[in-house]
Coordinates of all heavy atoms in Angstrom, one line a residue:
M2 N -6.6 -15.5 -19.3 CA -7.2 -14.3 -18.6 C -6.5 -14.1 -17.3 O -6.1 -14.9 -16.6 CB -8.7 -14.8 -18.3 CG -9.4 -13.8 -17.5 SD -11.1 -14.3 -17.1 CE -11.6 -13.0 -16.2
I3 N -6.2 -12.8 -17.2 CA -5.4 -12.3 -16.0 C -6.0 -12.8 -14.7 O -5.3 -13.2 -13.8 CB -5.2 -10.8 -16.0 CG1 -4.3 -10.4 -17.2 CG2 -4.6 -10.3 -14.7 CD1 -4.1 -8.9 -17.3
G4 N -7.3 -12.7 -14.6 CA -8.0 -13.1 -13.3 C -7.7 -14.5 -12.8 O -7.8 -14.8 -11.6
K5 N -7.4 -15.4 -13.7 CA -7.1 -16.8 -13.4 C -5.7 -17.1 -13.0 O -5.3 -18.2 -12.5 CB -7.5 -17.7 -14.5 CG -9.0 -17.7 -14.7 CD -9.5 -18.6 -15.8 CE -11.0 -18.6 -15.9 NZ -11.5 -19.5 -16.9
I6 N -4.8 -16.1 -13.1 CA -3.4 -16.2 -12.8 C -3.2 -16.3 -11.3 O -3.9 -15.6 -10.5 CB -2.5 -15.1 -13.3 CG1 -2.6 -15.2 -14.9 CG2 -1.1 -15.1 -12.8 CD1 -1.9 -14.0 -15.6
V7 N -2.3 -17.1 -10.8 CA -2.0 -17.3 -9.4 C -0.7 -16.5 -9.1 O 0.4 -16.9 -9.6 CB -1.8 -18.7 -8.9 CG1 -1.4 -18.8 -7.5 CG2 -3.1 -19.5 -9.2
P8 N -0.7 -15.3 -8.4 CA 0.5 -14.6 -8.2 C 1.5 -15.5 -7.3 O 1.0 -16.3 -6.5 CB 0.0 -13.4 -7.4 CG -1.4 -13.3 -7.7 CD -1.9 -14.7 -8.0
Y9 N 2.8 -15.3 -7.5 CA 3.8 -16.1 -6.8 C 5.1 -15.3 -6.7 O 5.3 -14.3 -7.4 CB 4.0 -17.4 -7.6 CG 4.5 -17.2 -9.0 CD1 5.9 -17.1 -9.2 CD2 3.7 -17.0 -10.0 CE1 6.4 -16.9 -10.5 CE2 4.2 -16.7 -11.3 CZ 5.6 -16.7 -11.5 OH 6.1 -16.4 -12.8
G10 N 6.0 -15.9 -5.9 CA 7.3 -15.4 -5.8 C 7.4 -14.1 -4.9 O 6.5 -13.8 -4.2
G13 N 7.6 -14.6 -1.1 CA 6.7 -15.5 -0.6 C 5.3 -15.1 -0.6 O 4.5 -15.6 0.2
I14 N 4.9 -14.3 -1.6 CA 3.5 -13.8 -1.6 C 2.6 -15.0 -2.0 O 3.0 -15.9 -2.6 CB 3.3 -12.6 -2.6 CG1 3.7 -13.1 -4.1 CG2 4.0 -11.4 -2.2 CD1 3.2 -12.1 -5.1
N15 N 1.3 -14.9 -1.5 CA 0.2 -15.7 -1.9 C 0.5 -17.2 -1.6 O 0.3 -18.1 -2.5 CB -0.1 -15.5 -3.4 CG -1.4 -16.1 -3.8 OD1 -2.3 -16.2 -3.0 ND2 -1.6 -16.3 -5.1
N16 N 0.9 -17.5 -0.4 CA 1.0 -18.9 0.0 C -0.2 -19.7 -0.1 O -0.2 -20.9 -0.2 CB 1.6 -18.9 1.4 CG 3.0 -18.5 1.5 OD1 3.8 -18.6 0.6 ND2 3.4 -17.8 2.6
E17 N -1.4 -19.0 -0.1 CA -2.7 -19.7 -0.2 C -3.0 -20.1 -1.6 O -3.9 -20.8 -1.8 CB -3.8 -18.7 0.3 CG -3.7 -18.2 1.7 CD -3.0 -16.8 1.7 OE1 -2.5 -16.3 0.7 OE2 -2.9 -16.3 2.8
K18 N -2.2 -19.7 -2.6 CA -2.4 -20.0 -4.0 C -3.7 -19.5 -4.6 O -4.3 -20.2 -5.4 CB -2.2 -21.5 -4.2 CG -0.9 -22.1 -3.6 CD 0.2 -21.9 -4.6 CE 1.5 -22.6 -4.1 NZ 2.5 -21.8 -3.6
R19 N -4.1 -18.4 -4.2 CA -5.3 -17.8 -4.7 C -5.1 -17.1 -6.0 O -4.1 -16.6 -6.3 CB -5.9 -16.8 -3.7 CG -6.3 -17.5 -2.3 CD -7.0 -16.6 -1.4 NE -6.4 -15.3 -1.1 CZ -7.0 -14.2 -0.9 NH1 -8.4 -14.1 -1.0 NH2 -6.4 -13.0 -0.7
T20 N -6.1 -17.1 -6.9 CA -6.0 -16.4 -8.2 C -6.2 -14.9 -8.0 O -6.7 -14.5 -6.9 CB -7.1 -16.9 -9.2 OG1 -8.4 -16.6 -8.6 CG2 -7.0 -18.4 -9.4
I21 N -5.8 -14.1 -9.0 CA -6.0 -12.7 -8.9 C -7.5 -12.3 -8.6 O -7.8 -11.5 -7.8 CB -5.5 -12.0 -10.1 CG1 -3.9 -12.1 -10.1 CG2 -5.9 -10.5 -10.2 CD1 -3.3 -11.6 -11.4
I22 N -8.4 -13.0 -9.3 CA -9.8 -12.6 -9.1 C -10.3 -13.0 -7.7 O -11.0 -12.3 -7.1 CB -10.7 -13.2 -10.2 CG1 -12.1 -12.5 -10.2 CG2 -10.9 -14.7 -10.2 CD1 -12.1 -11.0 -10.5
D23 N -9.8 -14.2 -7.2 CA -10.1 -14.5 -5.8 C -9.6 -13.5 -4.8 O -10.3 -13.2 -3.9 CB -9.5 -15.9 -5.5 CG -10.2 -17.1 -6.2 OD1 -11.3 -16.9 -6.6 OD2 -9.5 -18.1 -6.3
I24 N -8.4 -13.0 -5.1 CA -7.8 -12.0 -4.2 C -8.7 -10.7 -4.3 O -9.0 -10.1 -3.2 CB -6.4 -11.7 -4.5 CG1 -5.5 -12.9 -4.2 CG2 -5.8 -10.5 -3.8 CD1 -4.1 -12.9 -4.8
C25 N -9.1 -10.3 -5.5 CA -9.9 -9.1 -5.6 C -11.3 -9.3 -5.0 O -11.8 -8.3 -4.4 CB -10.1 -8.8 -7.1 SG -8.5 -8.2 -7.9
L26 N -11.9 -10.4 -5.1 CA -13.2 -10.7 -4.6 C -13.1 -10.7 -3.0 O -14.1 -10.3 -2.4 CB -13.8 -12.0 -5.1 CG -14.3 -11.9 -6.5 CD1 -14.6 -13.4 -7.0 CD2 -15.5 -11.1 -6.7
N27 N -12.0 -11.2 -2.5 CA -11.9 -11.4 -1.0 C -10.5 -11.0 -0.6 O -9.7 -11.9 -0.3 CB -12.2 -12.8 -0.6 CG -12.2 -13.0 0.8 OD1 -12.4 -12.1 1.6 ND2 -12.0 -14.3 1.2
P28 N -10.2 -9.7 -0.6 CA -8.8 -9.2 -0.4 C -8.2 -9.6 1.0 O -7.0 -9.9 1.1 CB -8.9 -7.7 -0.5 CG -10.1 -7.5 -1.3 CD -11.0 -8.6 -1.0
I29 N -9.1 -9.7 2.0 CA -8.6 -10.1 3.3 C -9.3 -11.4 3.7 O -10.4 -11.5 4.1 CB -9.1 -9.0 4.4 CG1 -8.7 -7.6 3.9 CG2 -8.5 -9.4 5.8 CD1 -7.2 -7.3 3.8
P30 N -8.5 -12.5 3.5 CA -9.1 -13.8 3.7 C -9.5 -14.0 5.2 O -9.0 -13.3 6.1 CB -8.0 -14.8 3.4 CG -6.8 -14.0 3.2 CD -7.2 -12.6 3.0
Q31 N -10.4 -14.9 5.5 CA -10.9 -15.1 6.8 C -9.9 -15.3 7.9 O -9.9 -14.9 9.0 CB -11.9 -16.3 6.8 CG -12.7 -16.4 8.1 CD -13.5 -15.1 8.4 OE1 -14.2 -14.6 7.6 NE2 -13.4 -14.6 9.6
H32 N -8.8 -16.1 7.6 CA -7.8 -16.4 8.6 C -7.1 -15.1 9.0 O -6.6 -15.0 10.2 CB -6.8 -17.4 8.1 CG -5.8 -17.0 7.1 ND1 -6.1 -16.9 5.7 CD2 -4.5 -16.5 7.2 CE1 -5.0 -16.5 5.1 NE2 -4.1 -16.2 5.9
L33 N -7.0 -14.1 8.1 CA -6.4 -12.8 8.6 C -7.4 -12.0 9.3 O -7.0 -11.3 10.3 CB -5.9 -12.0 7.3 CG -4.8 -12.6 6.6 CD1 -4.4 -11.8 5.3 CD2 -3.6 -12.9 7.4
Q34 N -8.7 -12.1 9.0 CA -9.7 -11.4 9.8 C -9.8 -12.0 11.2 O -10.0 -11.3 12.2 CB -11.1 -11.5 9.1 CG -11.2 -10.7 7.8 CD -12.5 -10.8 7.1 OE1 -13.5 -10.6 7.8 NE2 -12.5 -11.2 5.9
I54 N -13.7 -3.8 5.8 CA -13.3 -5.1 5.1 C -14.5 -5.7 4.4 O -14.3 -6.2 3.3 CB -12.7 -6.1 6.1 CG1 -11.3 -5.6 6.6 CG2 -12.6 -7.5 5.5 CD1 -10.7 -6.5 7.7
F57 N -14.7 -4.2 1.0 CA -13.4 -4.2 0.3 C -13.4 -5.4 -0.6 O -12.9 -6.5 -0.3 CB -12.3 -4.3 1.4 CG -10.9 -4.2 0.9 CD1 -10.6 -3.6 -0.3 CD2 -9.9 -4.8 1.6 CE1 -9.3 -3.5 -0.8 CE2 -8.6 -4.7 1.2 CZ -8.2 -4.1 0.0
S58 N -14.0 -5.3 -1.8 CA -14.1 -6.3 -2.7 C -14.3 -5.8 -4.1 O -14.9 -4.7 -4.2 CB -15.3 -7.2 -2.3 OG -15.5 -8.2 -3.2
S59 N -13.9 -6.5 -5.1 CA -14.1 -6.0 -6.4 C -14.2 -7.2 -7.4 O -13.5 -8.2 -7.3 CB -12.8 -5.2 -6.9 OG -13.0 -4.8 -8.2
F62 N -10.3 -6.5 -11.8 CA -9.0 -6.7 -11.3 C -8.0 -5.9 -12.2 O -8.4 -5.5 -13.3 CB -8.6 -8.2 -11.4 CG -8.9 -8.8 -12.7 CD1 -8.0 -8.8 -13.8 CD2 -10.1 -9.5 -12.9 CE1 -8.3 -9.4 -15.0 CE2 -10.4 -10.1 -14.2 CZ -9.5 -10.0 -15.2
I76 N -9.1 -2.2 -6.5 CA -8.8 -3.1 -5.4 C -8.3 -2.3 -4.2 O -7.7 -2.9 -3.3 CB -7.9 -4.3 -5.8 CG1 -6.5 -3.7 -6.2 CG2 -8.5 -5.2 -6.8 CD1 -5.4 -4.8 -6.2
L141 N -0.6 -7.1 9.2 CA -1.4 -8.3 9.6 C -2.4 -8.7 8.5 O -2.6 -9.8 8.2 CB -2.1 -8.0 10.9 CG -3.1 -9.1 11.4 CD1 -2.3 -10.1 12.3 CD2 -4.3 -8.5 12.1
L142 N -3.0 -7.6 7.9 CA -4.0 -7.9 6.9 C -3.4 -8.0 5.5 O -4.1 -8.2 4.5 CB -5.0 -6.7 6.9 CG -5.8 -6.5 8.1 CD1 -6.8 -5.3 8.0 CD2 -6.6 -7.8 8.5
D143 N -2.1 -8.1 5.5 CA -1.3 -8.3 4.3 C -1.6 -7.3 3.2 O -1.8 -7.6 2.0 CB -1.4 -9.8 3.7 CG -0.3 -10.1 2.8 OD1 0.8 -9.5 2.9 OD2 -0.4 -11.1 2.0
L144 N -1.6 -6.0 3.6 CA -1.8 -4.9 2.7 C -0.5 -4.2 2.4 O 0.4 -4.3 3.1 CB -2.8 -3.8 3.3 CG -4.2 -4.3 3.6 CD1 -4.9 -3.3 4.5 CD2 -4.9 -4.7 2.4
V157 N -3.6 -1.7 -0.8 CA -4.0 -2.7 -1.7 C -3.4 -4.1 -1.2 O -2.5 -4.1 -0.5 CB -3.5 -2.4 -3.1 CG1 -4.1 -1.1 -3.6 CG2 -2.0 -2.4 -3.3
P158 N -4.0 -5.2 -1.7 CA -3.5 -6.5 -1.3 C -2.1 -6.7 -1.7 O -1.7 -6.5 -2.9 CB -4.4 -7.5 -2.0 CG -5.7 -6.7 -2.4 CD -5.2 -5.3 -2.5
N159 N -1.2 -7.1 -0.8 CA 0.2 -7.3 -1.1 C 0.4 -8.4 -2.1 O 1.3 -8.3 -2.9 CB 0.9 -7.7 0.3 CG 2.4 -7.6 0.1 OD1 2.9 -6.7 -0.4 ND2 3.1 -8.6 0.7
N160 N -0.4 -9.4 -2.1 CA -0.3 -10.5 -3.1 C -0.4 -10.0 -4.5 O 0.2 -10.6 -5.4 CB -1.4 -11.5 -2.9 CG -1.2 -12.3 -1.6 OD1 -0.1 -12.4 -1.1 ND2 -2.2 -12.9 -1.1
I161 N -1.0 -8.9 -4.8 CA -1.1 -8.4 -6.2 C 0.0 -7.3 -6.3 O 0.7 -7.3 -7.3 CB -2.5 -7.8 -6.4 CG1 -3.5 -9.0 -6.6 CG2 -2.5 -6.9 -7.7 CD1 -4.9 -8.7 -6.9
H162 N 0.1 -6.4 -5.3 CA 1.1 -5.3 -5.4 C 2.5 -5.9 -5.6 O 3.3 -5.3 -6.4 CB 1.0 -4.5 -4.1 CG 1.9 -3.3 -4.2 ND1 3.1 -3.2 -3.6 CD2 1.6 -2.1 -4.7 CE1 3.6 -2.0 -3.8 NE2 2.7 -1.3 -4.4
F164 N 3.3 -8.7 -7.1 CA 3.4 -9.7 -8.2 C 4.1 -9.0 -9.4 O 3.4 -8.5 -10.3 CB 2.1 -10.2 -8.5 CG 2.1 -11.3 -9.6 CD1 3.0 -12.3 -9.5 CD2 1.1 -11.4 -10.5 CE1 3.1 -13.3 -10.5 CE2 1.1 -12.4 -11.5 CZ 2.1 -13.4 -11.5
L167 N 3.5 -9.2 -13.4 CA 2.4 -8.5 -14.1 C 2.4 -7.0 -13.7 O 2.0 -6.2 -14.5 CB 1.1 -9.1 -13.8 CG 0.6 -10.3 -14.5 CD1 -0.8 -10.7 -14.1 CD2 0.7 -10.1 -16.0
Y168 N 2.8 -6.7 -12.4 CA 2.4 -5.4 -11.9 C 3.7 -4.6 -11.5 O 3.6 -3.7 -10.7 CB 1.5 -5.5 -10.7 CG 0.2 -6.2 -11.1 CD1 -0.2 -7.3 -10.5 CD2 -0.6 -5.6 -12.1 CE1 -1.5 -7.9 -10.8 CE2 -1.8 -6.2 -12.5 CZ -2.2 -7.4 -11.8 OH -3.4 -8.0 -12.2

Side-chain angles (χ1 to χ4, degrees):
M2 176 180 178
I3 290 176
K5 292 183 180 183
I6 294 173
V7 175
Y9 61 90
I14 61 167
N15 198 22
N16 291 327
E17 302 94 353
K18 308 279 188 253
R19 299 188 307 144
T20 65
I21 289 173
I22 196 65
D23 290 338
I24 294 167
C25 292
L26 287 169
N27 185 23
I29 311 295
Q31 191 59 51
H32 74 277
L33 296 180
Q34 291 182 49
I54 287 172
F57 185 26
S58 177
S59 176
F62 49 87
I76 59 163
L141 175 91
L142 298 178
D143 202 17
L144 297 171
V157 300
N159 192 44
N160 288 338
I161 289 179
H162 187 263
F164 187 42
L167 281 184
Y168 300 123

